[in-house]
Amino acid sequence: MGELARRAQAGLVTVVGLVAVMWAVFVLNALLGNLLVMTLGIAPRRVDGLDGVVFAPLLHGGIAHLASNTLPLLVLGFLAFLEGARRFALAVGISWVASGIGTWLFGGGLTIGASGVVFGLFTYLVARGFYNRDWKQILLAVLLFSVYGSILWGILPTVGSNISWQAHLFGALGGVLAAFLLKRKRPAPGGTDRFGLGS
């Protein structure tokens, strides 16, 4: 099996596993009478709500909310994983933390959901090709933008909505930051970048 095929297989297992955890947490939360959402969501500017930075992306308020994040996470997560497990983990981690901290600092109320991570993966995949000057990644970015680009409206404040534009905005900024931090060094001997992660 070739390297790309191995990464594809591992990526599929990883993103399906992540989504499965979210669905399992959703069921558990329902059985507990919404206890997990109330205690582990991001409560902005409250010390006891800071743990939500870690847990909030695993929590969702309803089937529609979780379902709306499931397909984008599967698609974008799988595509990000094709570049390697460590790059995937860093892209997800940076988006996850940036979205959570930004929401904790500037959010308006209890916040849950993986949409900040979705926005982060999207902007990571769109931005990395331009940082890397890789025409294949740029072509993928154009394709992704044509399919998912409209989600970027979600980074703008919406009057009367309970959707956290802060989570979206800071997740998206986290994805751009991840693309910058993980950009490939100009051709170097050995085929590894400055992080030693490979191409």
Side-chain angles (χ1 to χ4, degrees):
M1 183 184 295
E3 176 64 20
L4 183 59
R6 283 193 292 270
R7 286 184 180 178
Q9 186 178 59
L12 185 60
V13 170
T14 300
V15 295
V16 168
L18 176 59
V19 168
V21 168
M22 291 179 179
W23 279 92
V25 169
F26 175 77
V27 172
L28 178 60
N29 179 64
L31 294 174
L32 293 175
N34 213 36
L35 177 65
L36 297 181
V37 166
M38 298 306 298
T39 57
L40 297 177
I42 298 172
R45 296 169 298 283
R46 285 175 42 183
V47 175
D48 62 347
L50 194 54
D51 55 359
V53 172
V54 176
F55 297 110
L58 299 174
L59 301 165
H60 292 81
I63 290 179
H65 184 202
L66 178 52
S68 69
N69 283 330
T70 293
L71 183 59
L73 270 177
L74 289 172
V75 173
L76 300 174
F78 175 77
L79 291 173
F81 200 100
L82 292 179
E83 206 176 12
R86 286 171 289 186
R87 284 177 175 271
F88 167 81
L90 285 167
V92 169
I94 293 170
S95 301
W96 191 303
V97 172
S99 175
I101 291 178
T103 301
W104 188 81
L105 288 172
F106 302 105
L110 187 69
T111 302
I112 55 173
S115 56
V117 178
V118 169
F119 273 71
L121 285 172
F122 174 73
T123 55
Y124 168 74
L125 289 168
V126 168
R128 67 173 183 175
F130 296 95
Y131 283 128
N132 294 331
R133 299 176 188 174
D134 183 318
W135 70 267
K136 291 180 182 178
Q137 291 182 351
I138 292 173
L139 186 61
L140 176 62
V142 171
L143 177 60
L144 286 175
F145 198 85
S146 69
V147 176
Y148 289 111
S150 61
I151 70 170
L152 291 178
W153 288 109
I155 68 175
L156 300 176
T158 305
V159 177
S161 172
N162 63 353
I163 296 173
S164 175
W165 62 269
Q166 296 93 338
H168 297 170
L169 173 62
F170 286 98
L173 293 174
V176 174
L177 176 62
F180 173 74
L181 294 175
L182 295 172
K183 67 180 179 180
R184 296 176 189 159
K185 193 175 181 180
R186 289 301 91 202
T192 60
D193 59 20
R194 59 196 173 101
F195 287 89
L197 300 177
S199 60

